[in-house]
Amino acid sequence: MHNGTASHKELRNSLPHAHMVFPDELINRVKYYIWRVYTPYHPFFRDLAIKLRLVSITKKVERFGARQRYLLGTIAPNETVEGVIEHLLSKGYGNHFVAWEDDGEVVSLRYVENFKYQYHLRIFEDGEVRGHYEFTTECHPLKHFYEIGFEDRREHFLSVLGDKITPVQTS
C-alpha cells in the first residue's frame, strides 16, 4: 500500500468528503463527536502509526492482499476516471480519505448508508473498480480494520455504476 502519485493526491484532496450520518444511539453519538474532532488529524496519526510500526501494513497485505476483494470491473472504454467520480458524487458518494490506500489506488469513495454501514468503492490506475459493503470506521474501527463483516453487494454497485464500468464475469 502506498500514498499514490502527487496528481492522485491532488484529485483526492479536491473531492468533497463523505459525511457521517448522525446516529440514534448514545454510545454512537459519543463516537460520532470523537470522530468529528479526530478526522482531520487521522492521516497524520495513521502514517505515524505505520512509521512507528504500531500498525503493520505488511501483515495486513499478507492477510488480505494488496487490493481488497470484490472486483466489479473496469472503467468503460468511453469513460474517464473523472467522469466516473462525478457520477458517483452525484449519487451521494464522497471522498473516504481516512481509508487505507491500496496499491495503484487513484481514489477511495464511500456512500454512508447510516452510522454503522457504508458502501466503499476504489478506482485504480489500471481502470479496475472494486467495491464492498462494510462497517464504517467511525462505528467499528477494529472490525473495519480487520475487514470483519465485508460483503460483496455486487448488484448494488453495478446498479449505481451503470454503464460507467465494464463488469467482469463472476463464476
Side-chain angles (χ1 to χ4, degrees):
M1 298 191 183
H2 64 81
N3 292 331
T5 65
S7 62
H8 295 160
K9 283 186 179 186
E10 290 170 9
L11 173 63
R12 284 191 294 266
N13 290 337
S14 72
L15 299 174
H17 294 181
H19 295 286
M20 290 184 285
V21 175
F22 191 74
D24 294 329
E25 300 155 342
L26 180 60
I27 186 66
N28 288 337
R29 287 181 181 176
V30 171
K31 293 176 190 177
Y32 175 90
Y33 287 116
I34 289 170
W35 274 92
R36 292 281 300 196
V37 171
Y38 171 72
T39 296
Y41 307 102
H42 178 75
F44 169 78
F45 286 112
R46 175 194 59 208
D47 296 346
L48 181 63
I50 292 167
K51 284 181 183 176
L52 295 176
R53 299 178 190 254
L54 300 174
V55 175
S56 174
I57 295 304
T58 303
K59 286 183 182 176
K60 186 168 172 58
V61 169
E62 287 170 1
R63 186 167 177 196
F64 300 114
R67 289 188 181 179
Q68 292 180 341
R69 301 175 299 234
Y70 309 128
L71 173 63
L72 299 170
T74 57
I75 294 175
N78 60 332
E79 290 293 336
T80 64
V81 170
E82 293 80 8
V84 174
I85 291 169
E86 281 298 317
H87 174 75
L88 290 167
L89 293 175
S90 76
K91 299 289 185 181
Y93 280 76
N95 185 358
H96 189 26
F97 79 99
V98 300
W100 299 100
E101 294 177 23
D102 287 0
D103 283 342
E105 181 181 304
V106 174
V107 69
S108 172
L109 301 168
R110 72 175 177 165
Y111 175 82
V112 182
E113 181 179 57
N114 54 46
F115 188 71
K116 293 181 183 180
Y117 297 101
Q118 67 185 15
Y119 291 90
H120 187 185
L121 272 168
R122 287 185 162 99
I123 301 173
F124 296 90
E125 293 170 329
D126 60 7
E128 273 191 4
V129 179
R130 293 177 178 258
H132 56 270
Y133 183 76
E134 65 186 337
F135 288 110
T136 64
T137 306
E138 297 86 356
C139 190
H140 295 291
L142 292 177
K143 287 180 180 180
H144 182 91
F145 180 77
Y146 288 108
E147 300 183 5
I148 295 168
F150 266 36
E151 294 180 21
D152 188 346
R153 301 280 176 110
R154 178 180 180 78
E155 294 308 314
H156 170 83
F157 285 113
L158 293 179
S159 71
V160 168
L161 289 160
D163 62 358
K164 301 293 180 187
I165 69 166
T166 303
V168 294
Q169 299 300 318
T170 59
S171 50

